[in-house]
Amino acid sequence: MRYAERGYDLEIDLSRGGIDRVETDPRSMELYLGGQGTAAKLLWDRVPPEAEPFSPENLLIFSSGLLNATPVPGATRTSVNTFSPQTSLMAHSLMGSYFGVEMKHAGYDKIVIRGKSPDLVYLWINNGKVEIRDARHLRGKGTQETAALIKEELHDNKVQVAAIGPAGENRVYMASIDHSHASAARGPGPVMGDKGLKAIAVRGTQDIHTARPAELFEICLRLSKELYDNPNVGDWMAVDEDDSFHHDNFSWGNARVRQKVWSKELQERWTKLKYDHMDRQTGCYNCPKKCHNVISWPGRKRFSYKCYGKDTYHMAAFQELDFSYDILGVAQELGLDSYSTPQVIAFALELLEAGILTDQDFPGMPSDVRKRYFYLLDKITRREGIGDVLANGVYWAARQIGKGAEKYDHNTTKKFEQLPIKLGKVNPAYFLMIATGEKMSITQIEGSFPQDPLPTMEQRQEFVKNWVAVPHEKFKEWFLRWEKRNEISNEASCAITDWNEAMHYIDDSLGLCGFVSSFRGQFGGKTGYHVWNIPQLISLSTGLDFDKDKLWKTFQRIRTLVRAVNVRRGLRRRDERPPEDHWAVRDEKSEQKLLDNYYQFKGWTTDGIPNKETLDKLGLNYVSEDFIKRGILTGNESTPSKETSNGQAKQ
Amino acid sequence: MVTVKAGLKKKLVKEIKVDVDKCTGCRSCEMACSAFHAVPKYSSLNPARARIRVVIDESRDIYVPIRAGEYTQAECTGRNIYTIHGKEYSECSFCPACCPSRDYFKEPDSGLPLKCDMCEDEPPLSEPMCVQACQQDALTYVEREELVEEQKPEVKLEEMEIVFEALVKKHGKKKVMDTFTRLSKS
Ligand code: SF4
Ligand code: SF4
């Protein structure tokens, strides 16, 4: 019997209407776990590097995490992977709530979609019964509306639906896939639309088995209480009304202006605004935290938000929280990501002010800034006029518009909008994470090691005292000695980046939520999951023997494979640059030295390509062979001088 | 000697209090219930087989955990729609019945009815499993004693009998007996 996973993928060919249930190789669980790990393997095996994101050959993969549907609390993430039309590289997107769990109960670890449907369809999966159904009547419908209509049509309110809105149908690059109170943003929405797939509806009523169920259940029940009691995990923004951090430190507008706005008066007013309109807080499947704020705003549909999503619109528009509440539900219903969309709009309005775009580009646009945001949401969603250009994101829009618009694209890396943060001095680990993170999003790679040093030795000692999550004692020493943000050794910076990244790759393959794991260690140190307790949970769930070293090596294998997937599509060192104005004080020479050190630490060439020795050591011989055949590697690349693992250099 | 008034006896009443305002829709209760009632215990997980289900309707902000009650052969003739604090609930949002109108509280494979047994077990649990799994205190367990009039013991159908009764209603007595005979021989 296969434990934790189901051992089957559902393969859908939308061009030919093909539906297959395919047994998977049991070894792939041991090598790549599940979720984005096994998805990366499928993308490597099945999508040739020449394939355009908007081509029938591109795959759109919905993966349950290996621990989804087991009793492990907070194992709620479904990953959605494909090749992004914006970057042409691998898109990693994660959504919570119930989808991956339901999929697993229906009998599948993954839903793998290829081809393109000639007309709009949706997929109905009811255990072994799978249908591709007409969705023409759902064209143009919102994400929630679509889910409700499908449930009604199927006479089943326990169905879990993931759907795109009109933005996805129109292949808007910022389009998201929405499910319940969760959203798979940043990449896969337009591909779903391109394939003519409006939604996936799943219903599963089958048993899930784990290898040592009683022991696992008991541990998980205890863990669930621990997570509930632990104030360091979950989304603090859901429960703490002091959001001075984002408002005073992040940049407003098109990632431009830092302003200190936070005050007691504002906090009180906004808190009242929230509680006057909040119905409740909800959580994802089998998680004791409740990170989603459910809001009813007059005249709008009920919606929910999580995390920094609540700030992006009003900060881009220099408005207040009531504006975000007014627009957020509308944007979600259109199926637009709340990170990149407000930046694209702010960018467009900057171009108008600069005279690069003119009033003629915005026919009938109101003068009120709030109304302008609604106007542009509509234009972008429908790809109408200037909206058709903006729908390609800031990077591409700037190049299409020309006339100096490129200068206003100042917050993208690898063609992707970044968080609106502009700082003074470089934090070296952050330089590395922004430069090299494959998810191209800082919040999806940071999280285990604190962002900044603590001012006094006593505070640092206090911090490290119960810091059980560290993979190696060395991290404590580095933290104790760290006094100024930009002054920390390259050696430490490389290991810190590696550890931060490790936790995310592990989470994204197991389906663990970053809020109980990879993202939360930096604030107080006591996170729910770490390299010491995860192996036991994998072992009890799957029956495979995992320990910390094996888990770490698995991370390295998955991470290196993801890099290889992108390298084969052209990613090189030249692309690994944080936005030029991300920090005020820059030093090109030492940054490049740091990048050299990091590549070496990872076992990559100076051009950022995993070398043959690294690949072979991780059992990725098929990658090294392919690279040599394609001339990406010669096979004689210099090897790193030191063998490294777990952030510690071995002699 | 203190005597309980003639004709009265003590009865232990077990209650699970449900606070729908506190429910987050996490469905830990469903997961835990299905594990506890799996045979052997904890051997499988499947909310579809849980004896507690959370009626969730996000668009109307409805989150109502209900525990499986009696099996009923027929749907109600009419339904009530309740409006409470401005929110519209259907009667079924609160109904614990294993009823033909929906697939709650039925074994997904056989359609056989499921019923909450308050996790009665040897040795007894401190609290039913769903209550232990609910970190939000949306479910709390209370035990109290009640004095009730002594009556003839009511017909208490055991789980097995309920299952047989449902089978008989669905397939007819003869088919069930034949199957039973055949299975007990093999
Ligand atoms: S921590 Fe929050 S976002 Fe993460 S699984 Fe739990 S409820 Fe969902
Ligand atoms: S465990 Fe508690 S909070 Fe979660 S769904 Fe059940 S009753 Fe609601």
Side-chain angles (χ1 to χ4, degrees), chain B residues 23-29 54 65 134 136 138-139:
Chain B
C23 180
T24 63
C26 72
R27 300 169 59 202
S28 295
C29 48
V54 189
C134 179
Q136 314 298 339
L139 307 176

Short mmCIF file of all heavy atoms in Angstrom, two decimals, chain B residues 23-29 54 65 134 136 138-139, ligand 2:
data_model
loop_
_atom_site.label_atom_id
_atom_site.label_comp_id
_atom_site.label_asym_id
_atom_site.label_seq_id
_atom_site.Cartn_x
_atom_site.Cartn_y
_atom_site.Cartn_z
N CYS B 23 -16.44 29.09 15.25
CA CYS B 23 -15.98 28.10 14.27
C CYS B 23 -15.24 28.77 13.12
O CYS B 23 -15.69 29.77 12.57
CB CYS B 23 -17.16 27.30 13.73
SG CYS B 23 -16.67 26.05 12.54
N THR B 24 -14.08 28.22 12.76
CA THR B 24 -13.27 28.79 11.68
C THR B 24 -13.37 27.97 10.40
O THR B 24 -12.71 28.28 9.41
CB THR B 24 -11.78 28.82 12.06
OG1 THR B 24 -11.35 27.45 12.25
CG2 THR B 24 -11.54 29.60 13.33
N GLY B 25 -14.13 26.88 10.45
CA GLY B 25 -14.25 26.05 9.26
C GLY B 25 -13.03 25.19 8.99
O GLY B 25 -12.80 24.77 7.85
N CYS B 26 -12.22 24.92 10.02
CA CYS B 26 -10.98 24.18 9.78
C CYS B 26 -11.20 22.69 9.57
O CYS B 26 -10.37 21.99 9.03
CB CYS B 26 -10.00 24.39 10.93
SG CYS B 26 -10.49 23.54 12.44
N ARG B 27 -12.30 22.18 10.02
CA ARG B 27 -12.69 20.79 9.82
C ARG B 27 -11.75 19.78 10.51
O ARG B 27 -11.69 18.62 10.14
CB ARG B 27 -12.83 20.47 8.33
CG ARG B 27 -13.89 21.35 7.67
CD ARG B 27 -13.89 21.26 6.17
NE ARG B 27 -14.11 19.92 5.72
CZ ARG B 27 -13.76 19.45 4.53
NH1 ARG B 27 -13.21 20.24 3.65
NH2 ARG B 27 -13.98 18.20 4.21
N SER B 28 -11.00 20.26 11.52
CA SER B 28 -10.19 19.33 12.31
C SER B 28 -11.10 18.31 12.99
O SER B 28 -10.72 17.16 13.18
CB SER B 28 -9.42 20.08 13.39
OG SER B 28 -8.49 20.93 12.81
N CYS B 29 -12.29 18.76 13.38
CA CYS B 29 -13.23 17.85 14.05
C CYS B 29 -13.61 16.70 13.13
O CYS B 29 -13.67 15.55 13.56
CB CYS B 29 -14.47 18.63 14.50
SG CYS B 29 -15.18 19.69 13.24
N VAL B 54 -19.15 19.94 9.14
CA VAL B 54 -19.33 21.37 9.30
C VAL B 54 -20.03 21.88 8.04
O VAL B 54 -19.50 21.75 6.94
CB VAL B 54 -17.97 22.07 9.49
CG1 VAL B 54 -18.20 23.53 9.88
CG2 VAL B 54 -17.16 21.35 10.55
N PRO B 65 -21.12 23.33 12.78
CA PRO B 65 -20.79 21.92 13.00
C PRO B 65 -22.03 21.18 13.48
O PRO B 65 -22.70 21.63 14.41
CB PRO B 65 -19.74 21.97 14.12
CG PRO B 65 -19.40 23.41 14.32
CD PRO B 65 -20.55 24.21 13.80
N CYS B 134 -10.86 20.42 18.36
CA CYS B 134 -11.24 21.81 18.10
C CYS B 134 -10.49 22.74 19.02
O CYS B 134 -10.76 22.82 20.21
CB CYS B 134 -12.75 22.00 18.28
SG CYS B 134 -13.24 23.71 17.99
N GLN B 136 -10.49 25.94 18.82
CA GLN B 136 -11.13 27.25 18.94
C GLN B 136 -12.17 27.30 20.06
O GLN B 136 -12.84 28.32 20.24
CB GLN B 136 -11.82 27.62 17.62
CG GLN B 136 -11.01 27.40 16.37
CD GLN B 136 -9.75 28.23 16.33
OE1 GLN B 136 -9.65 29.24 17.02
NE2 GLN B 136 -8.77 27.79 15.56
N ALA B 138 -14.96 26.05 19.79
CA ALA B 138 -16.28 26.13 19.16
C ALA B 138 -17.10 24.93 19.65
O ALA B 138 -18.32 24.97 19.68
CB ALA B 138 -16.15 26.10 17.64
N LEU B 139 -16.40 23.87 20.03
CA LEU B 139 -17.06 22.69 20.60
C LEU B 139 -16.56 22.53 22.03
O LEU B 139 -15.36 22.50 22.27
CB LEU B 139 -16.68 21.42 19.81
CG LEU B 139 -16.89 21.45 18.30
CD1 LEU B 139 -16.37 20.15 17.68
CD2 LEU B 139 -18.36 21.63 17.96
S1 SF4 C 2 -12.67 21.88 14.74
FE1 SF4 C 2 -13.88 23.50 15.74
S2 SF4 C 2 -13.38 25.37 14.60
FE2 SF4 C 2 -12.71 23.65 13.36
S3 SF4 C 2 -14.46 23.24 12.00
FE3 SF4 C 2 -14.68 21.88 13.77
S4 SF4 C 2 -16.00 23.04 15.16
FE4 SF4 C 2 -15.23 24.53 13.66
#
